[in-house]
Amino acid sequence: MAIMGIAGASGFLAPSALASSWGSGNDPYDIPKYGNVTLLHITDTHGQLLPVWWREPGTNIGTRKQHEWGVTPHLVGNHKLDYYGIKAGTPEGYALSCLDFDALAHKYGKIGGYSHIATLVKRYREQVGADRTLLFDGGDAWQGSATSLWTRGEDMVGAQNLLKEDYFVGHWEFTYGAERVEYLLKNKLKAKFLSQNVFTIPWDELVFDPYDIREVNGVKVAVIGQSFPFTPIANPAYFIPKWSFGIHPEHMQKMVNECREQHHADVVVVLSHNGADVDKKMASQVNGIDIILGGHTHEIMGPKPVMVNKTIVINTSTNGKFLARFDLDVGKGKLKGWRFHYLPILSNMIPADKEMDEYITKVRAPYAKKLAEPMAVSESLLYRRDNFNGTFDQLICNALREEMDCEAAFSPGFRWGYTKLPGETITMEDVMGQTAITYPQVTVTEYTGAELKNVMEQVADNLFNPDPYYIQGGDMIRVGNIQYTFDPSETINKRISDLRVGGKLVHASKKYKVAGWAAMQKVEGTPVWDIFAKWLKDQKTVRVDHRDLPVLTKNMRGNPGIAFPKEYEL
């Protein structure tokens, strides 16, 4: 496997000379020392302590006035591999794309797992020195699994502490409520939590420290935190009623200036949970940031980072799939040079760390029997991540519609939720891996045709708005028994046409019975995992031969964010 590396200095990008091959006797994770400071970054692990399968999206459309065609992160399949100069069928091709996923998964194994991440982190600390290495966690660590939900994040805090993380920001963490977040941050987590964009209501005072200045190997490193700016919009606001969020680029500029002018920082790093497109725009507006370590949208932005306004921008995937490493040559008040490495955590290639392995076994033990309960066997590849319905989403929509006796179903376009291979048994752990949230109640709503269209248009605008500051980072709402034609390049209220339920045109005033979950208001209802588990048990065997995908308009032909155009009748 060619190690994924990029070297940079003076604002220029050039291919790294670093290369080795799996099977040649060389170690692909062996990285020569460079500079005087090393940054390690993980993000969006979503509660997955163990290795998982993770299929990259087949659709990740860039449409913003068409100028984002061919621009990372809106590249998939062969388009992405060609951009990075990586061959399909290789370990790198498996890590970076959705192509031939089932076959390559059997060949190269699962990704992530805190035991394997810990092994690599420890190795690099020993190699370059723990005193010159910082480990960053970009958030969304406490949510996405049964055990993270049932322990209310504490199982993940234990793993973070064993990793000896230095800095942390948040998003889904806030859905445990302000009181729980503050308790874990003050009493359990050893990493420093930073956020320059979370304020009290109504006093507009910072809730958390906005930045930290750390002397590392004789140079001053400033770290500024940016938690998810749309938390009270994308998730229920009642969890954090006394806190306000936002992007706040003006305040970010003020924080950068303080770090530079008052504290004489030599390098400024932003640990962000904005999402890739938001980070790129923020970098274009704020001067003085050297590196943005980004998360939230689960994008692969390696092995080549993006340069915006002299700022290096990356996003480090999800589920522990990659560890990003920056080796920096920092001078007085200046980043003189850097090397970047995007390291896939292929669990078959990295031995498990004994200490972390023992912790994971212990923390999961009380729940082991419940987690292993079988539900059904899948005959299909089940995945979630995609701009439109994933196969796991389709099963959830089918379950909601049938169990709740509804004409149609909605399911949120969450980007978390790992993959299952054909022939595998879906367990209760897997059900929770797609549904584990603190507001899981299923509801049945009667929407008029006009309301149906409005809901879908609003979500579509969140995904495809031409201004990144209006993009919250999820995917399109998942639908069951709903058909439509879709133009991502249009404006709000004009993207959806030929809307149908059960193949019949929707009438604006007619009412339709729709099942859904993850309501933004407090509601009563059965948790979605109970309904999904019951349906799976009744089915015994499941397969997905049809997904409720839109028909995309012809102007999407050739879009490099679409790997399989035939799926959309293009």
Side-chain angles (χ1 to χ4, degrees):
M1 175 183 177
I3 204 73
M4 299 178 182
I6 290 295
S10 303
F12 294 96
L13 294 176
S16 171
L18 190 64
S20 58
S21 299
W22 290 116
S24 69
N26 295 325
D27 181 352
Y29 293 104
D30 185 27
I31 298 174
K33 289 184 179 181
Y34 173 83
N36 50 4
V37 176
T38 294
L39 314 179
L40 303 176
H41 179 238
I42 59 172
T43 189
D44 294 272
T45 54
H46 280 288
Q48 301 306 322
L49 291 171
L50 300 176
V52 296
W53 309 113
W54 179 265
R55 177 192 183 269
E56 289 301 311
T59 312
N60 188 0
I61 299 173
T63 63
R64 295 168 189 87
K65 299 179 181 178
Q66 308 308 316
H67 71 269
E68 290 234 355
W69 278 31
V71 175
T72 187
H74 302 289
L75 299 165
V76 295
N78 281 319
H79 303 291
K80 178 177 286 185
L81 298 184
D82 291 345
Y83 178 81
Y84 290 122
I86 291 170
K87 292 182 179 180
T90 62
E92 304 101 312
Y94 165 59
L96 264 72
S97 85
C98 58
L99 302 178
D100 299 317
F101 183 82
D102 185 4
L104 295 177
H106 283 100
K107 185 175 182 179
Y108 295 121
K110 293 184 177 182
I111 58 90
Y114 272 70
S115 295
H116 306 280
I117 296 170
T119 295
L120 210 53
V121 168
K122 284 184 177 181
R123 174 177 177 174
Y124 292 150
R125 282 190 175 126
E126 290 172 1
Q127 177 199 28
V128 302
D131 60 338
R132 54 165 281 176
T133 304
L134 297 175
L135 175 58
F136 298 79
D137 187 326
D140 278 3
W142 300 355
Q143 178 276 332
S145 70
T147 56
S148 61
L149 181 68
W150 296 337
T151 65
R152 299 186 69 206
E154 198 155 346
D155 68 326
M156 300 307 301
V157 171
Q160 289 175 291
N161 288 342
L162 277 180
L163 275 183
K164 298 181 180 179
E165 293 180 353
D166 292 285
Y167 296 104
F168 186 42
V169 294
H171 168 208
W172 276 93
E173 287 74 14
F174 296 116
T175 63
Y176 289 110
E179 184 177 348
R180 179 62 175 174
V181 169
E182 290 185 312
Y183 170 78
L184 289 177
L185 295 183
K186 291 177 180 178
N187 300 285
K188 298 292 182 178
L189 185 72
K190 295 178 181 178
K192 191 167 183 60
F193 191 87
L194 301 173
S195 287
Q196 73 88 29
N197 62 324
V198 183
F199 297 87
T200 60
I201 298 173
W203 306 110
D204 284 335
E205 296 173 341
L206 283 164
V207 176
F208 308 102
D209 289 341
Y211 60 79
D212 187 48
I213 308 294
R214 181 84 65 93
E215 186 165 316
V216 180
N217 200 22
V219 300
K220 286 188 176 181
V221 179
V223 181
I224 305 174
Q226 177 87 353
S227 289
F228 182 51
F230 305 111
T231 297
I233 302 171
N235 308 99
Y238 60 78
F239 289 125
I240 29 85
K242 296 181 180 180
W243 295 349
S244 70
F245 292 69
I247 301 168
H248 299 296
E250 298 86 358
H251 191 258
M252 175 65 79
Q253 184 67 72
K254 180 181 177 182
M255 297 299 96
V256 172
N257 293 347
E258 280 189 18
C259 291
R260 292 283 188 188
E261 297 167 9
Q262 296 182 24
H263 300 286
H264 308 291
D266 299 307
V267 63
V268 175
V269 178
V270 171
L271 178 60
S272 168
H273 202 88
N274 277 336
D277 289 323
V278 177
D279 277 336
K280 287 162 68 177
K281 180 172 179 178
M282 187 177 72
S284 73
Q285 295 181 325
V286 180
N287 296 313
I289 301 172
D290 292 298
I291 299 171
I292 297 179
L293 303 174
H296 177 60
T297 42
H298 301 184
E299 312 286 12
I300 286 178
M301 291 176 71
K304 290 188 288 188
V306 174
M307 293 291 293
V308 180
N309 192 25
K310 298 182 181 180
T311 299
I312 309 163
V313 182
I314 66 163
N315 193 299
T316 311
S317 190
T318 182
N319 280 260
K321 191 173 188 178
F322 285 91
L323 174 72
R325 171 172 164 171
F326 274 102
D327 293 300
L328 310 180
D329 180 11
V330 182
K332 191 65 176 176
K334 182 181 180 181
L335 177 60
K336 298 192 297 182
W338 53 274
R339 301 289 184 270
F340 176 67
H341 307 278
Y342 211 54
L343 302 148
I345 307 298
L346 297 176
S347 61
N348 287 355
M349 302 295 178
I350 304 171
D353 175 74
K354 185 175 183 294
E355 183 183 24
M356 184 68 79
D357 217 27
E358 289 175 350
Y359 168 76
I360 292 171
T361 300
K362 181 179 178 181
V363 80
R364 286 170 53 85
Y367 314 102
K369 184 177 179 180
K370 187 173 182 179
L371 293 172
E373 183 183 358
M375 301 287 126
V377 175
S378 176
E379 296 179 350
S380 301
L381 178 66
L382 301 180
Y383 58 88
R384 167 170 281 163
R385 179 71 178 94
D386 209 88
N387 276 166
F388 305 100
N389 278 32
T391 49
F392 240 134
D393 299 294
Q394 192 67 55
L395 288 184
I396 293 172
C397 285
N398 293 348
L400 290 175
R401 196 162 57 85
E402 293 177 23
E403 291 294 319
M404 307 307 290
D405 190 25
C406 289
E407 298 167 86
F410 280 151
S411 188
F414 295 144
R415 293 191 172 192
W416 51 270
Y418 55 85
T419 302
K420 295 289 287 185
L421 301 184
E424 288 191 314
T425 297
I426 303 169
T427 64
M428 190 63 194
E429 180 161 25
D430 301 324
V431 168
M432 298 300 292
Q434 310 297 320
T435 61
I437 62 173
T438 55
Y439 50 109
Q441 292 77 14
V442 172
T443 59
V444 173
T445 306
E446 284 198 339
Y447 291 101
T448 65
E451 290 169 337
L452 260 180
K453 185 176 187 295
N454 181 59
V455 168
M456 295 174 67
E457 289 277 8
Q458 294 293 329
V459 177
D461 196 58
N462 161 57
L463 181 58
F464 296 109
N465 194 292
D467 186 344
Y469 280 4
Y470 289 90
I471 297 174
Q472 297 169 20
D475 280 314
M476 185 60 184
I477 192 169
R478 280 44 177 140
V479 297
N481 201 32
I482 294 175
Q483 303 83 37
Y484 59 105
T485 296
F486 193 66
D487 186 350
S489 66
E490 264 292 358
T491 56
I492 191 167
N493 299 323
K494 296 180 181 179
R495 293 186 176 94
I496 294 170
S497 60
D498 195 29
L499 181 60
R500 297 170 182 263
V501 172
K504 297 180 180 180
L505 276 172
V506 164
H507 295 282
S509 59
K510 183 179 177 180
K511 291 187 176 181
Y512 300 87
K513 189 179 177 184
V514 183
W517 63 290
M520 299 298 287
Q521 304 80 28
K522 289 183 179 180
V523 295
E524 299 294 326
T526 304
V528 63
W529 50 76
D530 285 346
I531 289 172
F532 191 29
K534 177 184 179 301
W535 182 82
L536 287 169
K537 283 183 176 181
D538 291 343
Q539 303 300 310
K540 296 183 174 59
T541 301
V542 294
R543 62 179 296 116
V544 180
D545 296 315
H546 165 79
R547 285 186 290 152
D548 286 310
L549 296 175
V551 174
L552 293 182
T553 49
K554 303 305 179 186
N555 62 347
M556 288 294 108
R557 283 179 176 169
N559 192 303
I562 303 172
F564 310 111
K566 289 184 179 179
E567 292 181 337
Y568 301 100
E569 301 183 26
L570 283 172

